[in-house]
Amino acid sequence: MKPNVKSVENQVEQVSDYADSKLTSVEYVGPAVKEMGEKKRGKLKSGYLERENILAYVLVAPAVIILVLFIAYPFVLGVWLSLTDKTVGHEGHFVGLQNFRNILKSQIFLQTVQNTFVYTGVATVLKLVFGLALALVLNRHFKFKRLVRASMLLPWIIPTVLSTLAWLWMFDATFSVFNWILVHLGILKRGLVWLGDPHLAMVSVIIVNAWRGIPFFAISLLAGLQTISPDLYEAADIDGAGSFAKFWHITLPMLMPVLLVVLIFSVIVTFADFQVVYVLTRGGPSNSTHLFATLAYQVALASGRLGEGAAISLFMFPFLLLVIIVQLWYIRREQ
């Protein structure tokens, strides 16, 4: 029997249409399935991040990693080194507290302890007095107020080493601008050896540290001054209060929370200062300007006695810990 050609052609056409429809459906269904999968995974991720206990760990993790790598590990390593006699190129052995006993017998270390407290105390007082005075001036209205306020930050934003090099030139025994002024004004017959005399060298490093820190005090206290309501001063004017009375009974008490935080922060930074002293005097002359940080650097890296250097640096820890405890206690009391 001869097949019907027309019928066969119709069947082939139907099969072709069916195959095209299937391919089309697969072509459209594939991306849809993929999109559904992505949405599902996104929901799972967002679901995890919406749970507070998981989100808290995710947010805190970077800070914890940084603290462990750059603070906790060096601190633990420093403690271990301080209990050994390790030197550069030689493996150390455990010696207990022998490094601390040796350091306490050193006259250079005892001089360093005195230097550190004098340096921190005098520099902090200078920064507090001049910073507060500058903040009170900047809080007033005058022409180019914003420009002057911005210029006050220059000592703070310039790299410490760069600005200290400029001070090194100003304290130079031959080219000192201070000597030139004092001699030409007739105050001195000849210039001073600023960095060659132990007392003048200490005065010099304190001046530079105070110069760098005054803008920080001024800007921070200025922010605190602007939070004090002008109504308080108007009420004091009505009562006939003078400028000193308004400062003592209004400004200072209202400024005290900011002032205390800035003060504590400055004490911590000044106590552990390194750059100013190292660039200006490197602890000299005759070790008369060494601080904990510079002496620890000289003993550990310049002399190669890593164990003793680590022990010197650890003497800062109890004092800084006490300052931090006072700060935390004050903040919690305010809360």
Side-chain angles (χ1 to χ4, degrees):
M1 183 177 176
K2 188 176 180 179
N4 189 344
V5 176
K6 190 68 175 176
S7 174
V8 171
E9 288 178 352
N10 291 336
Q11 290 178 0
V12 169
E13 187 175 352
Q14 289 176 358
V15 170
S16 176
D17 292 341
Y18 178 76
D20 289 342
S21 66
K22 289 295 182 184
L23 289 174
T24 303
S25 63
V26 170
E27 186 176 327
Y28 282 100
V29 166
V33 171
K34 185 178 179 182
E35 185 178 356
M36 289 176 62
E38 291 177 351
K39 288 182 177 177
K40 189 174 182 180
R41 286 193 291 273
K43 286 181 179 178
L44 287 174
K45 290 180 181 177
S46 61
Y48 280 119
L49 294 179
E50 287 176 358
R51 296 170 61 180
E52 291 186 357
N53 56 344
I54 295 178
L55 180 61
Y57 286 115
V58 171
L59 294 178
V60 171
V64 172
I65 292 172
I66 291 173
L67 288 174
V68 170
L69 287 179
F70 298 106
I71 296 180
Y73 173 71
F75 177 74
V76 173
L77 181 61
V79 173
W80 168 246
L81 288 175
S82 70
L83 301 175
T84 67
D85 59 354
K86 184 173 177 55
T87 58
V88 175
H90 296 85
E91 189 173 349
H93 301 89
F94 183 78
V95 295
L97 299 177
Q98 187 60 41
N99 287 328
F100 295 93
R101 285 193 287 268
N102 293 338
I103 291 169
L104 288 174
K105 296 176 183 175
S106 169
Q107 287 299 322
I108 297 176
F109 176 75
L110 298 178
Q111 177 68 40
T112 299
V113 175
Q114 179 182 341
N115 291 343
T116 305
F117 280 94
V118 170
Y119 178 79
T120 304
V122 177
T124 303
V125 170
L126 290 176
K127 287 184 279 190
L128 174 62
V129 173
F130 288 101
L132 180 57
L134 189 58
L136 292 172
V137 172
L138 294 177
N139 196 38
R140 295 180 177 277
H141 297 286
F142 54 88
K143 286 185 178 180
F144 308 112
K145 181 174 65 176
R146 293 183 180 179
L147 181 63
V148 174
R149 286 180 179 178
S151 66
M152 289 296 105
L153 286 174
L154 283 177
W156 180 255
I157 61 177
I158 294 175
T160 305
V161 173
L162 184 61
S163 59
T164 308
L165 285 175
W167 279 97
L168 184 63
W169 171 76
M170 288 191 284
F171 287 129
D172 186 85
T174 305
F175 305 104
S176 171
V177 64
F178 299 124
N179 285 340
W180 187 88
I181 293 173
L182 293 173
V183 170
H184 281 76
L185 289 176
I187 299 175
L188 296 176
K189 291 183 179 179
R190 60 181 181 179
L192 300 173
V193 185
W194 290 94
L195 302 179
D197 179 82
H199 299 292
L200 289 177
M202 179 55 74
V203 171
S204 302
V205 294
I206 289 174
I207 289 174
V208 177
N209 182 276
W211 172 78
R212 272 191 55 78
I214 286 172
F216 172 71
F217 269 73
I219 296 301
S220 302
L221 297 180
L222 176 63
L225 286 173
Q226 294 187 343
T227 62
I228 300 175
S229 173
D231 296 340
L232 297 175
Y233 294 107
E234 293 176 2
D237 289 334
I238 294 173
D239 293 338
S243 299
F244 181 77
K246 286 190 286 187
F247 171 78
W248 190 257
H249 295 289
I250 298 176
T251 304
L252 201 55
M254 299 295 289
L255 201 59
M256 192 56 72
V258 178
L259 185 63
L260 188 58
V261 172
V262 173
L263 201 58
I264 292 174
F265 181 76
S266 174
V267 168
I268 294 173
V269 174
T270 307
F271 197 84
D273 193 13
F274 172 82
Q275 300 178 77
V276 171
V277 175
Y278 188 75
V279 174
L280 277 182
T281 65
R282 297 183 185 273
S286 304
N287 301 308
S288 59
T289 58
H290 264 311
L291 306 179
F292 281 123
T294 56
L295 183 62
Y297 175 83
Q298 179 173 316
V299 172
L301 298 181
S303 303
R305 303 195 302 272
L306 297 176
E308 287 189 22
I312 292 171
S313 64
L314 281 179
F315 272 98
M316 290 190 288
F317 180 69
F319 177 78
L320 296 179
L321 180 64
L322 179 64
V323 173
I324 292 172
I325 290 173
V326 171
Q327 184 180 16
L328 292 177
W329 168 78
Y330 179 79
I331 293 174
R332 287 180 179 274
R333 193 189 69 168
E334 289 297 311
Q335 290 175 349

